[in-house]
């Protein structure tokens, strides 16, 4: 796989299926390069280690395909959800919106898919990892009703025009379309039911 460029400052190393490894976002700012997820493949680790200068890593959530390489890549600072930080006993927990002088915006993202998801917004793009995806409940595809509502509210508050969804084809999707898909699922809810089942 080769690095894919979205803008002069934003690139990504595409996800792979064998081994299962998430998309790795690369945001080059003046003073530091931000890495969104580190993947799990040797190629992703090599791509990250090939970047010179100061590097800050953001982990979207604690799933192996997104964070397995954390022990073999070089970085200066680590940011993740509180749950992920506790698993690694390292990093700065993203428990509220965090804004940096170089334009990076980190934010907690309620999600049915995994506990403690985090997103990264920069310019017109927002890396969301797997946050918009479902969970498995009693062997069925499901969303937590309350978390889905909170996620929709959070996504609407993001200024970015494009959402980047890991493992997705296309990787880059219009904000309005992603939110519309989530609202369509939320519309299937049943009063007082904590989960929305899709099968």
């Amino acid at each position: 796989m080769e690095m894919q460029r979205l803008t002069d400052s934003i690139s990504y190393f595409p996800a792979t299926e064998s081994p299962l490894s998430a998309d790795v976002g690369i945001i080059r700012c003046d003073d530091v390069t931000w890495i969104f997820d580190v993947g799990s493949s040797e190629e992703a680790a090599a791509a990250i280690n090939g970047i010179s200068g100061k590097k800050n890593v953001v982990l979207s959530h604690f799933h192996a395909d997104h964070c397995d390489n954390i022990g073999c890549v070089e970085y200066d600072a680590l940011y993740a959800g509180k749950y992920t930080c506790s698993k690694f006993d390292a990093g700065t927990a993203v428990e509220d919106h965090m804004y940096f002088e170089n334009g990076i915006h980190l934010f907690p993202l309620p999600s049915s898919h995994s506990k403690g998801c985090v997103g990264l917004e920069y310019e017109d793009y927002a890396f969301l990892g797997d946050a918009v995806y479902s969970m498995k409940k009693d062997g069925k595809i499901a969303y937590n009703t309350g978390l889905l509502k909170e996620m929709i509210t959070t996504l609407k508050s993001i200024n970015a025009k494009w959402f980047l969804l890991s493992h997705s084809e296309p990787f880059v999707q219009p904000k309005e379309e992603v939110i519309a898909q989530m609202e369509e699922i939320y519309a299937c809810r049943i009063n007082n039911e904590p989960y929305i089942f899709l099968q």
Side-chain angles (χ1 to χ4, degrees):
M1 286 286 187
E2 294 184 359
M3 198 73 71
Q4 304 295 310
R5 175 172 290 192
L6 296 177
T7 70
D8 287 343
S9 56
I10 304 175
S11 304
Y12 69 98
F13 189 77
T16 59
E17 291 189 12
S18 183
L20 182 63
S21 184
D23 295 88
V24 174
I26 312 291
I27 304 98
R28 298 179 187 272
C29 300
D30 291 337
D31 57 339
V32 60
T33 298
W34 289 78
I35 313 294
F36 186 83
D37 283 334
V38 293
S40 61
S41 69
E42 292 181 4
E43 291 81 5
I48 294 169
N49 286 330
I51 298 170
S52 60
K54 183 178 180 181
K55 290 177 278 191
N56 291 345
V57 167
V58 180
L59 297 178
S60 64
H61 63 296
F62 189 70
H63 280 175
D65 55 318
H66 294 257
C67 65
D68 255 12
N69 278 337
I70 197 64
C72 56
V73 297
E74 300 170 357
Y75 61 89
D76 294 273
L78 173 65
Y79 297 87
K82 184 177 180 181
Y83 178 77
T84 302
C85 287
S86 71
K87 290 294 184 180
F88 288 117
D89 194 25
T92 299
V94 180
E95 299 184 80
D96 201 352
H97 293 265
M98 299 177 70
Y99 298 90
F100 298 82
E101 290 183 0
N102 53 24
I104 294 289
H105 169 209
L106 306 181
F107 54 94
L109 188 50
S111 172
S112 298
H113 181 74
S114 179
K115 185 176 181 178
C117 286
V118 170
L120 183 156
E121 179 184 25
Y122 183 70
E123 297 179 342
D124 285 336
Y125 296 86
F127 289 86
L128 305 183
D130 293 354
V132 302
Y133 302 146
S134 62
M135 63 186 293
K136 280 290 187 104
K137 177 75 174 172
D138 301 328
K140 298 178 181 178
I141 297 173
Y143 283 85
N144 177 293
T145 306
L147 290 175
L148 180 57
K149 181 179 180 180
E150 291 177 25
M151 182 180 68
I152 291 170
T153 299
T154 300
L155 293 179
K156 286 182 174 180
S157 74
I158 301 303
N159 294 320
K161 298 176 182 178
W162 301 95
F163 287 167
L164 311 181
L165 311 182
S166 200
H167 308 289
S168 177
E169 185 59 47
F171 177 55
V172 182
Q173 298 190 26
K175 170 185 177 177
E176 293 80 7
E177 290 184 12
V178 174
I179 291 175
Q181 292 170 6
M182 296 299 101
E183 289 183 322
E184 185 176 339
I185 294 170
Y186 186 67
C188 297
R189 70 193 183 281
I190 299 173
N191 284 343
N192 301 317
E193 288 293 331
Y195 296 97
I196 301 167
F197 291 98
L198 301 185
Q199 66 179 55

PDB file of all heavy atoms in Angstrom, residues 125-151:
ATOM      1  N   TYR A 125     -11.557  18.301   7.353  1.00  0.00           N
ATOM      2  CA  TYR A 125     -11.629  16.851   7.511  1.00  0.00           C
ATOM      3  C   TYR A 125     -11.695  16.444   8.985  1.00  0.00           C
ATOM      4  O   TYR A 125     -11.081  17.079   9.841  1.00  0.00           O
ATOM      5  CB  TYR A 125     -10.412  16.188   6.866  1.00  0.00           C
ATOM      6  CG  TYR A 125     -10.361  16.387   5.370  1.00  0.00           C
ATOM      7  CD1 TYR A 125      -9.788  17.530   4.820  1.00  0.00           C
ATOM      8  CD2 TYR A 125     -10.898  15.430   4.507  1.00  0.00           C
ATOM      9  CE1 TYR A 125      -9.751  17.725   3.441  1.00  0.00           C
ATOM     10  CE2 TYR A 125     -10.857  15.614   3.132  1.00  0.00           C
ATOM     11  CZ  TYR A 125     -10.286  16.760   2.600  1.00  0.00           C
ATOM     12  OH  TYR A 125     -10.259  16.939   1.243  1.00  0.00           O
ATOM     13  N   ALA A 126     -12.424  15.361   9.248  1.00  0.00           N
ATOM     14  CA  ALA A 126     -12.478  14.804  10.601  1.00  0.00           C
ATOM     15  C   ALA A 126     -12.275  13.296  10.536  1.00  0.00           C
ATOM     16  O   ALA A 126     -13.036  12.583   9.868  1.00  0.00           O
ATOM     17  CB  ALA A 126     -13.809  15.120  11.276  1.00  0.00           C
ATOM     18  N   PHE A 127     -11.218  12.824  11.198  1.00  0.00           N
ATOM     19  CA  PHE A 127     -10.954  11.385  11.306  1.00  0.00           C
ATOM     20  C   PHE A 127     -11.831  10.833  12.429  1.00  0.00           C
ATOM     21  O   PHE A 127     -11.760  11.292  13.573  1.00  0.00           O
ATOM     22  CB  PHE A 127      -9.483  11.141  11.640  1.00  0.00           C
ATOM     23  CG  PHE A 127      -8.530  11.426  10.516  1.00  0.00           C
ATOM     24  CD1 PHE A 127      -8.046  12.710  10.301  1.00  0.00           C
ATOM     25  CD2 PHE A 127      -8.107  10.413   9.671  1.00  0.00           C
ATOM     26  CE1 PHE A 127      -7.162  12.983   9.271  1.00  0.00           C
ATOM     27  CE2 PHE A 127      -7.219  10.666   8.626  1.00  0.00           C
ATOM     28  CZ  PHE A 127      -6.751  11.962   8.434  1.00  0.00           C
ATOM     29  N   LEU A 128     -12.651   9.818  12.112  1.00  0.00           N
ATOM     30  CA  LEU A 128     -13.590   9.257  13.089  1.00  0.00           C
ATOM     31  C   LEU A 128     -13.280   7.814  13.472  1.00  0.00           C
ATOM     32  O   LEU A 128     -13.962   7.253  14.337  1.00  0.00           O
ATOM     33  CB  LEU A 128     -15.027   9.329  12.547  1.00  0.00           C
ATOM     34  CG  LEU A 128     -15.527  10.710  12.110  1.00  0.00           C
ATOM     35  CD1 LEU A 128     -16.985  10.606  11.675  1.00  0.00           C
ATOM     36  CD2 LEU A 128     -15.365  11.741  13.214  1.00  0.00           C
ATOM     37  N   GLY A 129     -12.271   7.212  12.856  1.00  0.00           N
ATOM     38  CA  GLY A 129     -11.983   5.811  13.174  1.00  0.00           C
ATOM     39  C   GLY A 129     -13.184   4.938  12.855  1.00  0.00           C
ATOM     40  O   GLY A 129     -13.787   5.045  11.784  1.00  0.00           O
ATOM     41  N   ASP A 130     -13.587   4.091  13.813  1.00  0.00           N
ATOM     42  CA  ASP A 130     -14.727   3.180  13.639  1.00  0.00           C
ATOM     43  C   ASP A 130     -15.971   3.656  14.394  1.00  0.00           C
ATOM     44  O   ASP A 130     -16.924   2.898  14.563  1.00  0.00           O
ATOM     45  CB  ASP A 130     -14.376   1.786  14.170  1.00  0.00           C
ATOM     46  CG  ASP A 130     -13.302   1.082  13.359  1.00  0.00           C
ATOM     47  OD1 ASP A 130     -12.895   1.613  12.305  1.00  0.00           O
ATOM     48  OD2 ASP A 130     -12.868   0.001  13.781  1.00  0.00           O
ATOM     49  N   ALA A 131     -15.960   4.896  14.871  1.00  0.00           N
ATOM     50  CA  ALA A 131     -16.982   5.347  15.822  1.00  0.00           C
ATOM     51  C   ALA A 131     -18.417   5.230  15.313  1.00  0.00           C
ATOM     52  O   ALA A 131     -19.332   5.002  16.102  1.00  0.00           O
ATOM     53  CB  ALA A 131     -16.698   6.787  16.251  1.00  0.00           C
ATOM     54  N   VAL A 132     -18.634   5.370  14.003  1.00  0.00           N
ATOM     55  CA  VAL A 132     -20.012   5.337  13.507  1.00  0.00           C
ATOM     56  C   VAL A 132     -20.523   3.909  13.298  1.00  0.00           C
ATOM     57  O   VAL A 132     -21.694   3.718  12.960  1.00  0.00           O
ATOM     58  CB  VAL A 132     -20.170   6.132  12.186  1.00  0.00           C
ATOM     59  CG1 VAL A 132     -19.749   7.581  12.383  1.00  0.00           C
ATOM     60  CG2 VAL A 132     -19.394   5.488  11.053  1.00  0.00           C
ATOM     61  N   TYR A 133     -19.669   2.936  13.525  1.00  0.00           N
ATOM     62  CA  TYR A 133     -20.070   1.554  13.278  1.00  0.00           C
ATOM     63  C   TYR A 133     -20.825   0.962  14.464  1.00  0.00           C
ATOM     64  O   TYR A 133     -20.803   1.484  15.575  1.00  0.00           O
ATOM     65  CB  TYR A 133     -18.847   0.696  12.934  1.00  0.00           C
ATOM     66  CG  TYR A 133     -18.084   1.199  11.726  1.00  0.00           C
ATOM     67  CD1 TYR A 133     -16.707   1.080  11.658  1.00  0.00           C
ATOM     68  CD2 TYR A 133     -18.741   1.816  10.666  1.00  0.00           C
ATOM     69  CE1 TYR A 133     -16.000   1.552  10.555  1.00  0.00           C
ATOM     70  CE2 TYR A 133     -18.051   2.288   9.565  1.00  0.00           C
ATOM     71  CZ  TYR A 133     -16.675   2.153   9.511  1.00  0.00           C
ATOM     72  OH  TYR A 133     -15.989   2.622   8.425  1.00  0.00           O
ATOM     73  N   SER A 134     -21.448  -0.170  14.211  1.00  0.00           N
ATOM     74  CA  SER A 134     -22.318  -0.821  15.192  1.00  0.00           C
ATOM     75  C   SER A 134     -21.532  -1.693  16.167  1.00  0.00           C
ATOM     76  O   SER A 134     -20.305  -1.777  16.118  1.00  0.00           O
ATOM     77  CB  SER A 134     -23.341  -1.686  14.462  1.00  0.00           C
ATOM     78  OG  SER A 134     -22.657  -2.704  13.720  1.00  0.00           O
ATOM     79  N   MET A 135     -22.268  -2.342  17.036  1.00  0.00           N
ATOM     80  CA  MET A 135     -21.739  -3.329  17.967  1.00  0.00           C
ATOM     81  C   MET A 135     -22.472  -4.635  17.717  1.00  0.00           C
ATOM     82  O   MET A 135     -23.413  -4.687  16.924  1.00  0.00           O
ATOM     83  CB  MET A 135     -21.989  -2.875  19.410  1.00  0.00           C
ATOM     84  CG  MET A 135     -23.470  -2.767  19.748  1.00  0.00           C
ATOM     85  SD  MET A 135     -23.837  -2.072  21.385  1.00  0.00           S
ATOM     86  CE  MET A 135     -23.199  -3.339  22.446  1.00  0.00           C
ATOM     87  N   LYS A 136     -22.039  -5.689  18.375  1.00  0.00           N
ATOM     88  CA  LYS A 136     -22.774  -6.961  18.366  1.00  0.00           C
ATOM     89  C   LYS A 136     -23.425  -7.130  19.729  1.00  0.00           C
ATOM     90  O   LYS A 136     -22.765  -7.034  20.748  1.00  0.00           O
ATOM     91  CB  LYS A 136     -21.834  -8.135  18.078  1.00  0.00           C
ATOM     92  CG  LYS A 136     -21.500  -8.324  16.601  1.00  0.00           C
ATOM     93  CD  LYS A 136     -22.716  -8.822  15.838  1.00  0.00           C
ATOM     94  CE  LYS A 136     -22.351  -9.169  14.401  1.00  0.00           C
ATOM     95  NZ  LYS A 136     -22.258 -10.579  14.161  1.00  0.00           N
ATOM     96  N   LYS A 137     -24.721  -7.360  19.739  1.00  0.00           N
ATOM     97  CA  LYS A 137     -25.476  -7.569  20.968  1.00  0.00           C
ATOM     98  C   LYS A 137     -26.346  -8.799  20.783  1.00  0.00           C
ATOM     99  O   LYS A 137     -27.196  -8.841  19.893  1.00  0.00           O
ATOM    100  CB  LYS A 137     -26.333  -6.331  21.262  1.00  0.00           C
ATOM    101  CG  LYS A 137     -27.223  -6.438  22.485  1.00  0.00           C
ATOM    102  CD  LYS A 137     -26.414  -6.308  23.751  1.00  0.00           C
ATOM    103  CE  LYS A 137     -27.338  -6.258  24.971  1.00  0.00           C
ATOM    104  NZ  LYS A 137     -26.583  -6.310  26.232  1.00  0.00           N
ATOM    105  N   ASP A 138     -26.102  -9.814  21.615  1.00  0.00           N
ATOM    106  CA  ASP A 138     -26.853 -11.076  21.504  1.00  0.00           C
ATOM    107  C   ASP A 138     -26.767 -11.646  20.089  1.00  0.00           C
ATOM    108  O   ASP A 138     -27.743 -12.169  19.548  1.00  0.00           O
ATOM    109  CB  ASP A 138     -28.313 -10.875  21.906  1.00  0.00           C
ATOM    110  CG  ASP A 138     -28.472 -10.371  23.333  1.00  0.00           C
ATOM    111  OD1 ASP A 138     -27.626 -10.737  24.178  1.00  0.00           O
ATOM    112  OD2 ASP A 138     -29.410  -9.605  23.596  1.00  0.00           O
ATOM    113  N   GLY A 139     -25.586 -11.499  19.480  1.00  0.00           N
ATOM    114  CA  GLY A 139     -25.362 -12.043  18.145  1.00  0.00           C
ATOM    115  C   GLY A 139     -25.958 -11.230  17.016  1.00  0.00           C
ATOM    116  O   GLY A 139     -25.919 -11.640  15.854  1.00  0.00           O
ATOM    117  N   LYS A 140     -26.505 -10.052  17.335  1.00  0.00           N
ATOM    118  CA  LYS A 140     -27.135  -9.216  16.319  1.00  0.00           C
ATOM    119  C   LYS A 140     -26.401  -7.880  16.199  1.00  0.00           C
ATOM    120  O   LYS A 140     -25.786  -7.412  17.147  1.00  0.00           O
ATOM    121  CB  LYS A 140     -28.597  -8.953  16.683  1.00  0.00           C
ATOM    122  CG  LYS A 140     -29.458 -10.205  16.762  1.00  0.00           C
ATOM    123  CD  LYS A 140     -30.886  -9.841  17.173  1.00  0.00           C
ATOM    124  CE  LYS A 140     -31.756 -11.083  17.285  1.00  0.00           C
ATOM    125  NZ  LYS A 140     -33.137 -10.734  17.720  1.00  0.00           N
ATOM    126  N   ILE A 141     -26.503  -7.272  15.020  1.00  0.00           N
ATOM    127  CA  ILE A 141     -25.944  -5.951  14.802  1.00  0.00           C
ATOM    128  C   ILE A 141     -26.829  -4.937  15.514  1.00  0.00           C
ATOM    129  O   ILE A 141     -28.055  -4.938  15.333  1.00  0.00           O
ATOM    130  CB  ILE A 141     -25.858  -5.628  13.300  1.00  0.00           C
ATOM    131  CG1 ILE A 141     -24.896  -6.611  12.608  1.00  0.00           C
ATOM    132  CG2 ILE A 141     -25.405  -4.186  13.074  1.00  0.00           C
ATOM    133  CD1 ILE A 141     -24.867  -6.476  11.107  1.00  0.00           C
ATOM    134  N   ALA A 142     -26.228  -4.091  16.331  1.00  0.00           N
ATOM    135  CA  ALA A 142     -27.026  -3.175  17.143  1.00  0.00           C
ATOM    136  C   ALA A 142     -26.295  -1.865  17.409  1.00  0.00           C
ATOM    137  O   ALA A 142     -25.072  -1.775  17.288  1.00  0.00           O
ATOM    138  CB  ALA A 142     -27.380  -3.842  18.473  1.00  0.00           C
ATOM    139  N   TYR A 143     -27.079  -0.866  17.770  1.00  0.00           N
ATOM    140  CA  TYR A 143     -26.579   0.418  18.262  1.00  0.00           C
ATOM    141  C   TYR A 143     -27.199   0.685  19.625  1.00  0.00           C
ATOM    142  O   TYR A 143     -28.376   0.381  19.843  1.00  0.00           O
ATOM    143  CB  TYR A 143     -26.952   1.566  17.315  1.00  0.00           C
ATOM    144  CG  TYR A 143     -26.107   1.657  16.077  1.00  0.00           C
ATOM    145  CD1 TYR A 143     -26.409   0.894  14.953  1.00  0.00           C
ATOM    146  CD2 TYR A 143     -25.009   2.506  16.015  1.00  0.00           C
ATOM    147  CE1 TYR A 143     -25.641   0.978  13.802  1.00  0.00           C
ATOM    148  CE2 TYR A 143     -24.234   2.600  14.876  1.00  0.00           C
ATOM    149  CZ  TYR A 143     -24.548   1.832  13.773  1.00  0.00           C
ATOM    150  OH  TYR A 143     -23.779   1.911  12.634  1.00  0.00           O
ATOM    151  N   ASN A 144     -26.416   1.258  20.514  1.00  0.00           N
ATOM    152  CA  ASN A 144     -26.947   1.735  21.784  1.00  0.00           C
ATOM    153  C   ASN A 144     -27.716   3.022  21.480  1.00  0.00           C
ATOM    154  O   ASN A 144     -27.141   3.978  20.955  1.00  0.00           O
ATOM    155  CB  ASN A 144     -25.806   1.989  22.761  1.00  0.00           C
ATOM    156  CG  ASN A 144     -26.269   2.542  24.082  1.00  0.00           C
ATOM    157  OD1 ASN A 144     -26.759   3.667  24.145  1.00  0.00           O
ATOM    158  ND2 ASN A 144     -26.110   1.770  25.137  1.00  0.00           N
ATOM    159  N   THR A 145     -28.999   3.046  21.823  1.00  0.00           N
ATOM    160  CA  THR A 145     -29.859   4.172  21.449  1.00  0.00           C
ATOM    161  C   THR A 145     -29.349   5.501  21.993  1.00  0.00           C
ATOM    162  O   THR A 145     -29.258   6.493  21.262  1.00  0.00           O
ATOM    163  CB  THR A 145     -31.300   3.927  21.934  1.00  0.00           C
ATOM    164  OG1 THR A 145     -31.762   2.662  21.441  1.00  0.00           O
ATOM    165  CG2 THR A 145     -32.237   5.020  21.429  1.00  0.00           C
ATOM    166  N   GLY A 146     -29.014   5.546  23.281  1.00  0.00           N
ATOM    167  CA  GLY A 146     -28.546   6.783  23.893  1.00  0.00           C
ATOM    168  C   GLY A 146     -27.231   7.256  23.314  1.00  0.00           C
ATOM    169  O   GLY A 146     -27.056   8.457  23.041  1.00  0.00           O
ATOM    170  N   LEU A 147     -26.286   6.322  23.125  1.00  0.00           N
ATOM    171  CA  LEU A 147     -24.986   6.695  22.566  1.00  0.00           C
ATOM    172  C   LEU A 147     -25.103   7.176  21.127  1.00  0.00           C
ATOM    173  O   LEU A 147     -24.390   8.098  20.708  1.00  0.00           O
ATOM    174  CB  LEU A 147     -24.015   5.517  22.651  1.00  0.00           C
ATOM    175  CG  LEU A 147     -23.529   5.135  24.051  1.00  0.00           C
ATOM    176  CD1 LEU A 147     -22.661   3.879  23.989  1.00  0.00           C
ATOM    177  CD2 LEU A 147     -22.751   6.283  24.691  1.00  0.00           C
ATOM    178  N   LEU A 148     -26.006   6.562  20.369  1.00  0.00           N
ATOM    179  CA  LEU A 148     -26.197   6.984  18.980  1.00  0.00           C
ATOM    180  C   LEU A 148     -26.721   8.415  18.925  1.00  0.00           C
ATOM    181  O   LEU A 148     -26.262   9.230  18.115  1.00  0.00           O
ATOM    182  CB  LEU A 148     -27.153   6.033  18.264  1.00  0.00           C
ATOM    183  CG  LEU A 148     -27.459   6.354  16.800  1.00  0.00           C
ATOM    184  CD1 LEU A 148     -26.178   6.421  15.970  1.00  0.00           C
ATOM    185  CD2 LEU A 148     -28.429   5.336  16.215  1.00  0.00           C
ATOM    186  N   LYS A 149     -27.662   8.747  19.800  1.00  0.00           N
ATOM    187  CA  LYS A 149     -28.190  10.107  19.846  1.00  0.00           C
ATOM    188  C   LYS A 149     -27.080  11.105  20.196  1.00  0.00           C
ATOM    189  O   LYS A 149     -26.960  12.160  19.570  1.00  0.00           O
ATOM    190  CB  LYS A 149     -29.314  10.202  20.870  1.00  0.00           C
ATOM    191  CG  LYS A 149     -29.934  11.588  20.950  1.00  0.00           C
ATOM    192  CD  LYS A 149     -31.065  11.630  21.967  1.00  0.00           C
ATOM    193  CE  LYS A 149     -31.683  13.031  22.030  1.00  0.00           C
ATOM    194  NZ  LYS A 149     -32.783  13.094  23.018  1.00  0.00           N
ATOM    195  N   GLU A 150     -26.244  10.746  21.189  1.00  0.00           N
ATOM    196  CA  GLU A 150     -25.136  11.625  21.584  1.00  0.00           C
ATOM    197  C   GLU A 150     -24.126  11.769  20.457  1.00  0.00           C
ATOM    198  O   GLU A 150     -23.579  12.852  20.232  1.00  0.00           O
ATOM    199  CB  GLU A 150     -24.451  11.065  22.829  1.00  0.00           C
ATOM    200  CG  GLU A 150     -25.277  11.129  24.100  1.00  0.00           C
ATOM    201  CD  GLU A 150     -24.564  10.492  25.271  1.00  0.00           C
ATOM    202  OE1 GLU A 150     -23.320  10.433  25.254  1.00  0.00           O
ATOM    203  OE2 GLU A 150     -25.254  10.031  26.197  1.00  0.00           O
ATOM    204  N   MET A 151     -23.865  10.680  19.737  1.00  0.00           N
ATOM    205  CA  MET A 151     -22.915  10.739  18.636  1.00  0.00           C
ATOM    206  C   MET A 151     -23.408  11.662  17.531  1.00  0.00           C
ATOM    207  O   MET A 151     -22.645  12.479  16.994  1.00  0.00           O
ATOM    208  CB  MET A 151     -22.646   9.353  18.063  1.00  0.00           C
ATOM    209  CG  MET A 151     -21.627   9.357  16.928  1.00  0.00           C
ATOM    210  SD  MET A 151     -21.293   7.729  16.245  1.00  0.00           S
ATOM    211  CE  MET A 151     -22.857   7.386  15.464  1.00  0.00           C
TER     212      MET A 151
END
